[in-house]
Amino acid sequence: MLVVGGGVVGLGVAWRLGQQGVRVTVLERGEAGRGASWAAAGMLAPVAELGFEELDLYALSRESLRHWPAFARDLEAATGRSVDYRDDGTLVVAPDRDAAEALRRSFRFQQQHGVDVRWLSRDAALDLEPFLSPRIAAAVHAPGDHQVDNRRLVTALRAAVEDAASVTVQEHVAVRAIHPDADAPRAVLDDGSEIAARQVVLAAGAWSGGVEGLAPVEVPVRPVKGQMLSLRMDAPVAGPPFGLRHVVRSPDAYLVPKSDGRLVIGATSEEQAFDTRVTAGGLYRLLEGAWEACPGIDDLDVIETWAGLRPASRDHAPLLGPLAPGVVAATGHYRHGILLTPVTADEIAALTLARLRDADHTADVLAPFAPTRFA
Ligand code: GLY
């Protein structure tokens, strides 16, 4: 089995297959896990991150949240490394009355769909999270939204596949083309050499759309840039220490406190192709949005700034399942790669394993995400 792409999705699929003794080679164009998986914030937040019209994606996200505790437990048991899975819940805040109206609309919609969300007045929100601005208008608490430390997740997955006797990861190997074939699909590398396999899984994130050889099948996946930064919460500051506990989401920024003292702030959303520059304007808007929600960040030290590339499909939903003869897609996760890793790894591993054994495998939860829907 060949997995093209060594981010959390590719490594997750390879790890699950390796647990079944399947021989897997992961081909990664850069360093495994250092693309969007590293750049992410680690929010497992379907309530805070999904829009009105994304009900299928919401169902898939709920299913992945259901897989998360076992996935984290298995990975931690296999590697002895924590992934810092936390279930503190998310606070979606409205900084002013206009934002409160918009928040009220999505709150009603979520309630109608049975989502566990609670409306909080400013005082109730401040009781729950004292580091919110006293100027906010209202907030919604989503206790079912969780988070994980995505960088620890990447490190653990990397260790898990290294320990799996049947999995090999090759880094700095770019795949130029995939030639479908029911029995022996082939990957063509940038240097022109070819690797054949029984099946190929395309998990190349933002680079998936550029892989040649699949026509007439389309893989409409493009990069959407997100600039981010992190601050140190435990740095000595004047006044009481800043110790945000919840993930906080406001219209212009989100703040994600990590157990190691980092506060991750994100993210811009820019159609800039493969550009990963960090700009003054991008950081300015993020800091302004974050400061509006939690002004206590003012005096925190900056640790790092960076930009990542979300793999976005034409309809912003992932491509999961058979793509072409011998080729399965697991890409296009857009804003939800970390959240959707367990369901993707478990279901794509089960699907490819069944195909190796000429057995049937149906996963109803993947049905709306058939990669051929763009034909
Ligand atoms: N899921 C966070 C982001 O896309 O910025």
Side-chain angles (χ1 to χ4, degrees), residues 40-43 49 226 228 249 254 266-268 310 334-337:
M43 287 182 288
E49 288 227 297
M228 303 182 67
R249 192 165 186 112
Y254 52 74
T268 62
R310 306 175 184 93
Y334 189 39
R335 289 181 170 275
H336 315 293

Side-chain angles (χ1 to χ4, degrees), residues 224-353:
V224 176
K225 174 179 171 181
Q227 299 188 46
M228 303 182 67
L229 73 150
S230 60
L231 307 179
R232 190 178 310 288
M233 286 193 292
D234 51 7
V237 288
F242 182 88
L244 191 73
R245 205 162 56 84
H246 295 85
V247 173
V248 172
R249 192 165 186 112
S250 74
D252 298 317
Y254 52 74
L255 301 91
V256 188
K258 298 295 177 192
S259 301
D260 62 5
R262 284 180 306 133
L263 178 65
V264 175
I265 297 179
T268 62
S269 190
E270 304 167 62
E271 300 281 351
Q272 300 277 354
F274 287 92
D275 167 32
T276 50
R277 286 178 319 120
V278 175
T279 63
L283 294 183
Y284 171 74
R285 280 183 287 280
L286 289 177
L287 283 168
E288 187 181 42
W291 189 91
E292 210 174 25
C294 298
I297 65 168
D298 200 85
D299 205 22
L300 303 185
D301 289 355
V302 176
I303 305 174
E304 188 189 348
T305 62
W306 67 94
L309 300 171
R310 306 175 184 93
S313 74
R314 201 180 291 149
D315 61 8
H316 290 170
L319 284 70
L320 302 171
L323 176 70
V327 185
V328 167
T331 188
H333 290 75
Y334 189 39
R335 289 181 170 275
H336 315 293
I338 306 295
L339 167 61
L340 296 176
T341 291
V343 77
T344 305
D346 294 348
E347 294 297 347
I348 296 295
L351 172 71
T352 49
L353 197 59

Side-chain angles (χ1 to χ4, degrees), residues 57-75:
L57 191 51
Y58 182 71
L60 183 71
S61 303
R62 298 294 311 171
E63 182 62 12
S64 202
L65 267 185
R66 211 176 56 73
H67 286 229
W68 249 109
F71 191 84
R73 246 191 339 266
D74 280 6
L75 193 54

